[in-house]
Amino acid sequence: MELKTLLSNIETVSVNGTQDRDITSVTYDSRAVQPGGLFVALRGEKTDGHHFIPQVLEKGAAAVVVEEDCGAAPRATEVRVASTRKALADIGAVFYHNPSRMLKVAGITGTKGKTTTAFLLKHICEHAFLRCGLIGTVRYEIGERILPAARTTPQSLDVHDLLFQMRSAGCKAAVMEVSSHALAQDRVRGVEFDAGVFTNLKQDHLDYHKTMEDYFKAKALLFENLAAQSKKHAKAIINVDDQYGSRLVERFAKRLPVTTYGVNARADFRASGFKSDFTGSTFQLDAQEKSYLVRLPLMGRFNIYNALAALAAATALGLDLRTAVMSLALAPAVPG
């Protein structure tokens, strides 16, 4: 793919060198640079990719994307940008042909419940014959392949790569756990979602976000992204029983179609009459002006919330609610 194509949607500070280069690979890992490849220098907590520019030039990199002048030209085209993290996401989306646009994609964020909700939603999709990939804390699933997860939400380039692989493997949908770190670091930038789910917000990750308000702002970025999408009209699925969820509803109700869930009487997907024993849980679901008996082989009130989130997200992806409810009775145990 030509460099000028990869840079077509990027605001550059300067470009020193020709853009008529054929780029054979893209990476942010200096160890993975190949001749004719493009290297994006990221600043991390422990290392700075800019320090490795001499090494990537020795390996034959055709272009580098940087935030400061590194003297790469004339050996390689040096592209300066304000944020290499944003540039990496935008380049990755183009390099992998915007794979999220060809999939039904659900992103799930929140402190607790992301993994279970993701597995339940994937199960519902598969039961409805909608082959579904998974990106999450426990593992990544691409068709029949299962890969160990290095982190909950990978780097943006890897996200687009995984979605491209899912599409190539015949998947029609993808479910992603989206961490607050990923949102703050633009790791899902360029992903076009069909649904965004908010489970809850509890005190966690304050070593990174410092305050609960900063943590909340990071989670809210998922819905800011949904509202700004150009190709898809996404839907928000929000736990209205959570105080931060209620804030999200107020904030985005006029900008996105919002479906709420919980035990609150005003929730769009409402659970009541729940019972739980060693075989699992049952509850009545009131949604879309109908009532359903939901059987779930998972115990605990928190799993009822996870099931509500999965069911609401499934309808946002266009699946039949009755079929989704019936499939939950056969839901597998969540690994890990």
Side-chain angles (χ1 to χ4, degrees):
M1 186 176 291
E2 285 198 338
L3 178 60
K4 62 184 176 184
T5 302
L6 292 174
L7 302 181
S8 58
N9 293 325
I10 296 176
E11 289 189 22
T12 59
V13 175
S14 63
V15 179
N16 191 356
T18 181
Q19 296 188 45
D20 294 324
R21 292 181 183 270
D22 185 33
I23 300 300
T24 56
S25 62
V26 178
T27 185
Y28 55 90
D29 184 344
S30 61
R31 297 165 298 182
V33 171
Q34 300 174 6
L38 180 148
F39 173 71
V40 183
L42 300 182
R43 300 184 192 276
E45 295 180 6
K46 298 180 180 179
T47 60
D48 185 342
H50 294 79
H51 297 160
F52 300 97
I53 297 298
Q55 288 94 317
V56 304
L57 294 177
E58 287 296 326
K59 289 185 174 183
V64 297
V65 179
V66 295
E67 293 178 1
E68 61 187 46
D69 183 6
C70 295
R75 297 174 67 182
T77 300
E78 183 179 278
V79 181
R80 287 188 61 192
V81 297
S83 168
T84 51
R85 288 193 179 275
K86 287 182 170 63
L88 179 67
D90 294 341
I91 289 170
V94 175
F95 188 75
Y96 289 107
H97 308 285
N98 295 294
S100 63
R101 294 179 184 175
M102 297 177 282
L103 297 164
K104 290 182 179 291
V105 184
I108 303 167
T109 197
T111 307
K112 299 180 182 296
K114 293 192 299 296
T115 299
T116 300
T117 301
F119 272 91
L120 289 176
L121 180 54
K122 181 181 188 298
H123 168 74
I124 292 171
C125 289
E126 298 276 2
H127 192 266
F129 303 103
L130 188 70
R131 196 171 198 184
C132 184
L134 175 74
I135 299 174
T137 304
V138 177
R139 64 197 189 199
Y140 308 148
E141 297 187 17
I142 305 167
E144 301 298 325
R145 296 167 55 210
I146 297 177
L147 307 175
R151 58 178 69 177
T152 297
T153 313
Q155 196 56 260
S156 59
L157 181 68
D158 303 319
V159 168
H160 292 296
D161 183 9
L162 287 168
L163 293 174
F164 177 78
Q165 291 184 56
M166 289 175 192
R167 178 64 178 168
S168 300
C171 292
K172 303 297 184 184
V175 177
M176 295 177 56
E177 293 183 50
V178 184
S179 69
S180 57
H181 292 70
L183 289 161
Q185 295 174 6
D186 292 302
R187 291 190 220 153
V188 293
R189 180 182 173 92
V191 176
E192 294 265 345
F193 292 95
D194 294 84
V197 179
F198 174 82
T199 60
N200 51 64
L201 196 69
K202 310 294 182 183
Q203 190 161 327
D204 198 6
H205 300 302
L206 297 189
D207 56 328
Y208 182 85
H209 296 290
K210 306 307 179 186
T211 68
M212 284 297 292
E213 195 60 26
D214 287 342
Y215 188 24
F216 171 66
K217 288 178 181 178
K219 294 295 188 186
L221 286 173
L222 175 62
F223 302 95
E224 292 287 355
N225 293 346
L226 264 59
Q229 287 181 180
S230 60
K231 299 298 181 181
K232 292 183 179 179
H233 298 292
K235 298 178 181 179
I237 314 299
I238 298 174
N239 176 4
V240 74
D241 290 349
D242 183 272
Q243 61 174 320
Y244 292 99
S246 293
R247 288 177 60 183
L248 287 175
V249 173
E250 292 177 6
R251 181 168 170 178
F252 291 99
K254 294 182 179 180
R255 300 170 61 191
L256 286 168
V258 174
T259 297
T260 59
Y261 70 91
V263 300
N264 191 302
R266 58 193 175 94
D268 298 316
F269 278 62
R270 178 174 179 262
S272 62
F274 33 86
K275 300 176 182 178
S276 185
D277 58 29
F278 68 93
T279 64
S281 308
T282 61
F283 63 92
Q284 177 177 309
L285 167 67
D286 293 301
Q288 300 179 345
E289 300 182 347
K290 293 183 179 180
S291 295
Y292 306 86
L293 176 63
V294 181
R295 301 183 187 276
L296 183 70
L298 301 174
M299 294 183 291
R301 184 185 177 105
F302 59 93
N303 276 320
I304 291 171
Y305 277 93
N306 295 334
L308 287 172
L311 290 168
T315 62
L317 296 183
L319 300 182
D320 176 68
L321 179 55
R322 180 174 295 279
T323 302
V325 167
M326 292 175 62
S327 73
L328 282 187
L330 303 172
V334 177

